[in-house]
Each structure stands twice: as C-alpha cells, then as structure tokens.
C-alpha cells in the first residue's frame, strides 16, 4: 500500500492556460474522488468515479473542468482557461468499495496558483 | 443534504491539557462520521470513523470521539495534548446509501489546534 499519489505537487501558471493533474489511487480501490480546498476552508467535493464511470459531478465543476479515469486506474483532472478563482489545493482520494463505512484515503494534493 | 458545523475555527491548549474539538452534523438518516487531520501542505489523514455500533470511537494518536444522536454531535477529544498534535482538524459526514450525496464526504470548515509548551 503506497498510498494515493498526486502529481504535480505544485503548479504555477498564468491565467488562461490549461492545466492537468494526475491522481494514482491505492491499488484495487475502485472509487476515486476529487475535492477542492481553498485557504481556510474544508475540502469541497468535485466529482467521483466508480471504476471508469463518473457517477456524480458537483455544481462546482464548471464546463472548464473535466475529469477522466480511463481503465479505472489513474485519474486526470483538467482545467481549461484557468481563472484566478481556480487557485486552490486539489485533493484526490480513493476508497475500496461502496460501503459507507469505507474511509477515503487522501493524497497530498496539488496546489494550483494562478498568476 | 448533509452538513457539518465545527464550533471554533481556532482552539489553543497547553501541552498536557485536554483537547476538545466540537462537531455537529445534520443528516436525515443515520450518518457515517469521520475526523481527519491535516498538517501544512499535506493531504488529510484519517483519525477515526463512526459507522454503527459502539458510540465511543477510538482512533490513532490517542484521539477518540463520541457519537451522540440526541445532540447530533461527534466531538473529538484527547486527554493530554502533545506538541505534535498541532494541526488542522476536519469533521466530515458521508451520505447514506440511496441518497444523491452517497459516496462523497461533506466537510466542516476545520479547526486549527495550537498547542503551547
């Protein structure tokens, strides 16, 4: 169990550019979640996958955001035409199944800064 | 929909003193409840969880929490604070099966714990 891995750890980009983050979940975890955390706030849910199927998307996930999980393994989160308000920590988590008592295991996040 | 309220955005204690971090939740069905800790520039680490059964839950690093249905609370405690406990703590509730929010966690605003020598 190597834990949830996120890359890059930090991303600095200019407004209007596209960025992509990667998340590698704990192996054999079939659920994968994305959250966004802004300074001084708790994480907010963005979307989650059961294997390769994207089952739920938050209203926070505008048309500029897209997430994929091809083959049900790693996942990518892409933000197009970044805006100042996209600056945040993007957290990925995974869990082993559908049971509500299964805790989500978090990665260390990708911190995005928009210049 | 579920919601979580953490009372007190900052809590300061002396080393060796009791730690009490408050969490109240709102849920129309029996909830699953979690406490996570976050150190600077890191992700969240699970401290403990309540699902069903015993209402007093023990977690890592000497922390425990008690589920009180009548008070809709899930407060986190530790008898004796250590300097290494200084971090931000988040309470979270998980949606129940069949609801639209099933699967995702809803977090409170967080409580920053400071421990003084």
């Amino acid at each position: 169990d190597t834990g949830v891995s996120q890359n890059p750890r930090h991303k600095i980009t200019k407004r209007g550019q596209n960025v992509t983050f990667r998340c590698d979940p704990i192996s054999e975890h079939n659920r994968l979640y994305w959250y966004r955390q802004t300074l001084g706030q708790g994480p907010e849910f963005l979307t989650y996958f059961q294997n390769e199927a994207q089952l739920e998307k938050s209203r926070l996930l505008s048309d500029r955001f897209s997430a994929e999980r091809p083959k049900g393994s790693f996942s990518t989160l892409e933000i197009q035409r970044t805006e100042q308000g996209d600056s945040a920590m993007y957290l990925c988590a995974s869990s082993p199944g559908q049971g509500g008592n299964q805790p989500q295991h978090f990665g260390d996040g990708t911190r995005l800064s928009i210049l | 929909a579920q919601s979580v309220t953490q009372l007190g955005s900052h809590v300061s204690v002396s080393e060796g003193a009791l730690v009490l971090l408050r969490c109240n939740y709102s849920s129309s069905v029996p909830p699953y409840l979690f406490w996570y800790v976050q150190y600077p520039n890191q992700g969240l680490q699970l401290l403990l969880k309540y699902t069903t059964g015993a209402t007093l839950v023990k977690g890592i690093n000497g922390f425990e929490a008690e589920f009180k249905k009548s008070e809709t609370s899930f407060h986190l405690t530790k008898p004796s604070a250590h300097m290494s406990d200084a971090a931000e703590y988040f309470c979270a509730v998980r949606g129940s099966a069949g609801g639209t929010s099933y699967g995702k966690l809803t977090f409170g605003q967080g409580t920053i714990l400071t421990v003084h020598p």
Side-chain angles (χ1 to χ4, degrees):
Chain A
D1 182 353
T2 58
V4 177
S5 177
Q6 292 189 247
N7 288 289
R9 290 294 312 278
H10 303 275
K11 180 69 176 179
I12 301 173
T13 191
K14 294 181 179 179
R15 184 165 52 98
Q17 297 296 303
N18 299 343
V19 294
T20 300
F21 311 139
R22 177 179 170 125
C23 172
D24 288 271
I26 294 172
S27 59
E28 299 181 357
H29 278 192
N30 53 19
R31 282 205 160 193
L32 187 148
Y33 309 80
W34 285 99
Y35 293 84
R36 182 173 69 186
Q37 185 179 23
T38 54
L39 200 61
Q41 302 294 318
E44 295 176 293
F45 170 77
L46 292 178
T47 188
Y48 84 86
F49 294 83
Q50 172 86 17
N51 298 313
E52 66 274 10
Q54 189 173 18
L55 297 186
E56 187 176 352
K57 293 168 60 174
S58 164
R59 291 189 304 273
L60 295 175
L61 215 64
S62 75
D63 291 344
R64 298 183 298 105
F65 288 71
S66 63
E68 295 181 342
R69 193 183 182 196
K71 303 179 182 179
S73 55
F74 71 92
S75 176
T76 58
L77 177 67
E78 180 183 16
I79 309 174
Q80 296 181 327
R81 306 180 303 282
T82 52
E83 301 174 354
Q84 291 283 355
D86 297 331
S87 294
M89 174 80 89
Y90 290 84
L91 293 165
C92 177
S94 68
S95 69
Q98 295 188 16
N101 62 349
Q102 298 294 334
Q104 295 176 22
H105 300 264
F106 284 80
D108 283 339
T110 294
R111 183 169 295 283
L112 175 63
S113 298
I114 307 298
L115 301 178
Chain B
Q2 283 77 27
S3 67
V4 175
T5 302
Q6 291 184 238
L7 299 177
S9 58
H10 290 81
V11 170
S12 180
V13 300
S14 299
E15 192 172 20
L18 171 71
V19 175
L20 171 61
L21 305 182
R22 300 177 186 274
C23 172
N24 288 88
Y25 69 91
S26 171
S27 177
S28 59
V29 296
Y32 298 122
L33 295 160
F34 305 84
W35 274 100
Y36 284 86
V37 60
Q38 186 176 36
Y39 297 96
N41 297 314
Q42 293 186 21
L44 282 73
Q45 179 183 3
L46 179 70
L47 279 177
L48 49 80
K49 64 178 183 180
Y50 169 77
T51 53
T52 58
T55 56
L56 182 62
V57 180
K58 294 187 183 299
I60 62 172
N61 301 338
F63 284 94
E64 61 183 35
E66 186 172 11
F67 171 64
K68 291 187 177 180
K69 183 179 178 180
S70 61
E71 299 178 6
T72 62
S73 69
F74 191 56
H75 302 331
L76 182 70
T77 60
K78 182 174 181 178
S80 177
H82 190 272
M83 297 294 289
S84 61
D85 294 327
E88 188 162 18
Y89 292 79
F90 293 94
C91 181
V93 62
R94 184 165 182 168
S96 59
T100 58
S101 61
Y102 180 59
K104 71 178 185 183
L105 289 170
T106 300
F107 287 88
Q109 299 277 67
T111 298
I112 296 173
L113 176 66
T114 303
V115 182
H116 298 288

